[in-house]
Amino acid sequence: MTSTGILPTYQRFINGVPVPFSRRSFRAREKYIIFSVFITFGFICFGTFFFLPEFRGNSADSVYKMYDQMKRAGPELLIPPPPHLEDSREAPRLLRHEEDALADPHLVDDREKLRQKIDEDRELKVLERPRLQRSSSTASRPDDNAAREDVGDVPQEATIVTVPAALSKEYPLVGGGEDADPVARERRDKVKEMMKHAWDNYVRYAWGKNELKPISKRGHSASIFGTLPLAATIMDGLDTLYIMGMKDEFKQARDWVANELDLNSMASDVSVFEVNIRFVGGLLACFALTGDVMFRDKAQQIADKLLPAFQTQTGIPHALVNLKTGASKNFGWASGGSSILSEFGTLHLEFSYLSDVTGQPIYRNKVDHIRQYLQGLEKPNGLYPNYLNPKTGKWGQHHMSMGALGDSFFEYLLKAWLQSNKEDNEARQMFDDAMQAVLQHMLFTSKGGLVYFAELKFDRPEHKMDHLGCFSGGLLGLGAKTLKNDMSDKYMEVAKKITNTCHESYDRSYTKLGPEAFRFTEGSEAKALKNSEKYYILRPEVIESYFYMYRLTKDQKYRDWGWEAVQALEKQCRVPGGYTGLKNVYSEDPQKDDVQQSFFLAETLKYLYLLFSDDSLLSFDYWVFNTEGHPLPIKGVNPFYREASV
Ligand code: DMJ
């Protein structure tokens, strides 16, 4: 017997001579085997249906249920949605047959009503354009004139008026900022073109979804947004579009928020912190910039959905909340059910501002309570651990970090003081005290002379710095420039050195983009060692520090470093469908992660644009940026604050 195929074949002999194998049909035994295989296969395929849970019940409804679930999951799971970039910008139009039907004299009334309805829908409620008043404290600021020019000559009192959409061009202009240097202007134009590329592709392939997969050309959602498409990229991108003067794109995004953002469909666990900094922060920034009360109202509706997370024994909020049921909980991995410092400590700017623009104290009360709770706790060596148990009110593991899990808590102490026009002295004091401890226990200098913040794990330093921690250069610079005290010189010195180290982490990679975390060991400095730390996901923190440090020092090198980053982003991360992160910044041909993060539009591109603008655009004298790069006005000096009259 020889076996040359799937089925056994038999060599036949006639008189001992092998007969060439030339028959055309199967013999009976082979037919039997083939038949059995087909029967078995058919039985398995068909029979499986009876074991599927959806088919166990006898109702035909279950088929529809399944179809419905697939629809909700999003058809682009199977097929990418068709492009609708152009036509979605059009105003609603009647179809031809609708026009014809309405031509019937009996339907003239209906037609009128329909037109009226369309017109009403297109009306916007905006606050009138505010005028910057020169207070004695700001009278001599060099950029005062530029800021006054931006907002024009308008009534001082901000009152609510209703104006037709046609006048929406009358949103107060917060734009301009063209630098005197032609090179900076050219570079800024390039950044705007990058924003257009990122945005247009999001619109084309992932409109309404949280983020874009620029290579697969479809929507993407990280677990922080729960399972539903909440359009994180729209929320995060809106104010960048506005600042860059991309009016059509802004209008389209604004209309999506007004008409499509469906809070009642949000039956999903989301991160309180992420929803606050991206959604509430993004919408409040747009309210401040435009006066369009729709933004304020949406921000309030979303913040209201976060409030149940604060119902814990201590009032320290949980990390996750279900937007429909209000059930809240913490991440299982966080030190015995603890809440995380950088999360519950990064609500203050948005919640305080929301109280002021709505006249509802509840939001500020919540964050003031967190502040008071922290004030009452003993801090080990003056340091704040990353974990706090909301049930027992005790610190969890004593891990401290200026990067992940700690970072923006420190940022919001300084910025709460700035947002209050330097009246919230408690916040400034807490910032200075915390920084003193951090500088004393967590600041190190490598053998090669690089300064960095290490992490502490039960008093033992781990000589590793996160990309996330690189925001601290800009933060310390801001701390140094906004108050002259006995810490300010040290702050500025460290700010420069940290920003330099973070630049080194970029410069020491093949791609000229920095890793997620870098270490300082005997043989290697400012480089990632573990494979799991070598990725770059379009994060902003290093560029954020370049922006702050350029504004604060006017040292040209920060602009040059920013331009290096632009070139690296273009070379390594730009693809025809948008911008992607990289899996290994040290690789000559890095694999791409196929995600365009929403913070790339909110922060990375915004900070680059501002880096190449002059100081009049979102001046530090009038604006403070939340941790997601959304500008919020400073109380008392910036008439865009738009406080509710109570
Ligand atoms: C952003 O969402 C915010 O900056 C946040 O504070 C932490 N990091 C991401 C971007 O890296």
Side-chain angles (χ1 to χ4, degrees):
M1 182 179 93
T2 59
S3 66
T4 54
I6 294 170
L7 291 172
T9 56
Y10 298 92
Q11 182 67 65
R12 292 164 70 202
F13 295 87
I14 297 179
N15 295 330
V17 179
V19 178
F21 191 75
S22 65
R23 69 190 162 83
R24 289 190 168 183
S25 66
F26 295 109
R27 52 186 81 240
R29 182 174 168 184
E30 291 168 352
K31 283 181 189 159
Y32 173 73
I33 292 173
I34 292 171
F35 182 70
S36 308
V37 167
F38 273 108
I39 286 289
T40 313
F41 184 68
F43 180 76
I44 290 170
C45 291
F46 188 68
T48 310
F49 281 101
F50 294 96
F51 294 97
L52 287 173
E54 285 294 329
F55 282 77
R56 278 205 195 140
N58 55 4
S59 95
D61 278 2
S62 50
V63 177
Y64 290 102
K65 260 193 246 156
M66 186 183 276
Y67 171 69
D68 201 42
Q69 278 170 14
M70 283 173 70
K71 261 197 329 191
R72 268 186 278 136
E76 73 287 1
L77 276 181
L78 307 170
I79 310 163
H84 60 287
L85 183 62
E86 295 310 324
D87 49 13
S88 59
R89 285 184 193 151
E90 302 245 312
R93 265 204 199 150
L94 296 181
L95 298 173
R96 182 66 190 273
H97 72 271
E98 289 169 332
E99 292 272 14
D100 290 342
L102 290 175
D104 181 335
H106 302 290
L107 296 176
V108 166
D109 264 355
D110 289 359
R111 175 187 228 165
E112 268 319 298
K113 277 185 203 150
L114 184 57
R115 289 233 181 275
Q116 236 175 9
K117 178 84 184 72
I118 292 171
D119 287 343
E120 272 169 26
D121 285 352
R122 293 167 66 193
E123 279 184 348
L124 299 170
K125 266 186 171 179
V126 299
L127 299 182
E128 281 187 356
R129 301 167 72 188
R131 180 165 61 184
L132 285 176
Q133 287 163 281
R134 279 221 250 186
S135 70
S136 52
S137 64
T138 59
S140 59
R141 286 178 180 147
D143 54 347
D144 209 10
N145 285 335
R148 266 207 324 282
E149 245 169 44
D150 274 346
V151 291
D153 193 20
V154 286
Q156 288 194 11
E157 289 294 303
T159 48
I160 294 181
V161 292
T162 303
V163 296
L167 296 183
S168 66
K169 287 192 194 96
E170 297 301 309
Y171 278 149
L173 179 67
V174 178
E178 289 242 304
D179 200 89
D181 174 6
V183 177
R185 286 207 297 273
E186 211 176 285
R187 290 176 174 183
R188 193 172 85 142
D189 287 346
K190 174 65 198 166
V191 176
K192 183 170 174 180
E193 185 277 328
M194 293 167 75
M195 177 69 185
K196 185 143 180 54
H197 182 66
W199 178 258
D200 283 353
N201 279 295
Y202 168 74
V203 174
R204 189 172 290 124
Y205 300 117
W207 184 240
K209 305 292 178 219
N210 285 320
E211 291 171 322
L212 164 70
K213 285 173 91 62
I215 297 170
S216 319
K217 298 184 174 167
R218 53 193 273 196
H220 170 260
S221 195
S223 58
I224 50 172
F225 305 121
T227 52
L228 292 165
L230 305 177
T233 299
I234 296 182
M235 305 296 170
D236 255 355
L238 266 160
D239 58 5
T240 307
L241 295 171
Y242 191 80
I243 292 156
M244 292 185 179
M246 295 167 69
K247 287 185 185 165
D248 293 344
E249 291 86 348
F250 178 81
K251 176 72 171 59
Q252 184 188 13
R254 183 260 172 219
D255 289 349
W256 190 93
V257 176
N259 304 322
E260 307 290 331
L261 181 62
D262 177 11
L263 297 165
N264 297 320
S265 72
M266 293 180 175
S268 179
D269 286 347
V270 297
S271 157
V272 174
F273 159 77
E274 297 289 357
V275 169
N276 176 59
I277 64 170
R278 301 187 200 214
F279 291 61
V280 180
L283 292 168
L284 285 176
C286 288
F287 169 63
L289 291 166
T290 65
D292 184 343
V293 296
M294 183 279 295
F295 289 120
R296 179 197 62 196
D297 296 346
K298 292 280 182 185
Q300 185 177 16
Q301 287 165 25
I302 295 175
D304 285 346
K305 300 261 177 197
L306 304 182
L307 290 179
F310 291 77
Q311 284 165 18
T312 61
Q313 280 90 333
T314 55
I316 299 294
H318 281 141
L320 299 167
V321 68
N322 187 293
L323 293 173
K324 191 158 192 175
T325 65
S328 66
K329 61 183 180 194
N330 274 339
F331 297 112
W333 53 262
S335 186
S338 289
S339 300
I340 293 163
L341 182 68
S342 65
E343 299 203 334
F344 65 77
T346 309
L347 303 165
H348 207 101
L349 297 187
E350 298 81 4
F351 274 49
S352 302
Y353 184 45
L354 190 57
S355 276
D356 284 351
V357 296
T358 59
Q360 306 290 322
I362 184 169
Y363 313 104
R364 176 175 268 118
N365 290 345
K366 297 284 180 201
V367 290
D368 276 350
H369 177 80
I370 298 175
R371 166 92 64 82
Q372 292 322 313
Y373 200 90
L374 290 174
Q375 280 282 56
L377 283 176
E378 200 171 314
K379 280 75 136 183
N381 291 326
L383 295 165
Y384 288 82
N386 294 338
Y387 303 109
L388 181 62
N389 191 310
K391 207 168 176 182
T392 63
K394 298 211 164 77
W395 296 117
Q397 288 164 323
H398 284 194
H399 290 185
M400 285 84 164
S401 168
M402 280 298 281
L405 311 181
D407 52 10
S408 45
F409 162 70
F410 304 105
E411 179 182 357
Y412 271 34
L413 291 177
L414 179 68
K415 290 183 174 177
W417 172 71
L418 291 171
Q419 183 189 33
S420 73
N421 197 19
K422 304 185 180 175
E423 287 185 0
D424 182 357
N425 289 318
E426 181 181 53
R428 175 77 206 207
Q429 191 60 51
M430 285 173 81
F431 173 75
D432 284 332
D433 291 347
M435 282 305 113
Q436 196 158 25
V438 165
L439 294 180
Q440 190 183 338
H441 298 284
M442 295 167 69
L443 191 71
F444 289 82
T445 304
S446 71
K447 283 213 170 126
L450 296 179
V451 168
Y452 61 95
F453 286 117
E455 295 184 1
L456 290 185
K457 298 210 165 136
F458 300 107
D459 291 340
R460 285 171 60 92
E462 187 182 6
H463 296 276
K464 162 196 161 229
M465 187 164 168
D466 289 339
H467 191 290
L468 287 166
C470 285
F471 84 102
S472 57
L475 185 76
L476 287 169
L478 194 63
K481 281 282 179 166
T482 47
L483 184 67
K484 191 84 196 136
N485 64 10
D486 50 2
M487 303 279 286
S488 38
D489 289 346
K490 180 73 178 167
Y491 285 166
M492 188 47 91
E493 178 200 328
V494 176
K496 288 178 182 169
K497 289 181 172 167
I498 288 283
T499 309
N500 177 62
T501 300
C502 291
H503 173 253
E504 284 299 314
S505 78
Y506 275 47
D507 204 43
R508 294 175 187 202
S509 78
Y510 178 83
T511 57
K512 300 294 169 199
L513 293 165
E516 179 67 4
F518 43 92
R519 293 178 182 263
F520 298 85
T521 62
E522 277 299 317
S524 161
E525 296 194 350
K527 288 190 79 173
L529 290 182
K530 299 183 178 176
N531 280 339
S532 59
E533 294 168 347
K534 292 180 178 167
Y535 61 88
Y536 171 69
I537 56 168
L538 303 172
R539 284 198 192 279
E541 291 77 14
V542 176
I543 289 166
E544 176 179 352
S545 280
Y546 297 162
F547 158 60
Y548 277 95
M549 293 307 286
Y550 179 74
R551 277 228 172 151
L552 298 167
T553 67
K554 289 290 174 303
D555 186 335
Q556 174 62 27
K557 83 173 169 214
Y558 297 114
R559 276 191 166 168
D560 295 342
W561 290 352
W563 184 243
E564 283 171 16
V566 166
Q567 289 171 304
L569 285 165
E570 286 300 273
K571 184 163 176 214
Q572 306 291 345
C573 302
R574 187 175 178 133
V575 291
Y579 288 87
T580 170
L582 307 175
K583 292 191 177 168
N584 181 354
V585 295
Y586 303 105
S587 162
E588 289 187 19
D589 184 17
Q591 262 188 295
K592 301 182 166 57
D593 73 4
D594 195 15
V595 180
Q596 180 175 284
Q597 304 278 347
S598 74
F599 51 66
F600 181 64
L601 291 86
E603 296 188 78
T604 313
L605 292 176
K606 187 187 283 134
Y607 291 136
L608 281 169
Y609 187 78
L610 293 172
L611 174 66
F612 299 118
S613 300
D614 73 20
D615 293 359
S616 68
L617 182 55
L618 298 173
S619 157
F620 289 162
D621 290 332
Y622 299 111
W623 299 91
V624 61
F625 293 86
N626 89 339
T627 192
E628 189 76 2
H630 298 304
L632 299 175
I634 291 178
K635 194 170 181 168
V637 293
N638 188 339
F640 288 79
Y641 200 82
R642 305 174 195 281
E643 194 160 2
S645 41
V646 271

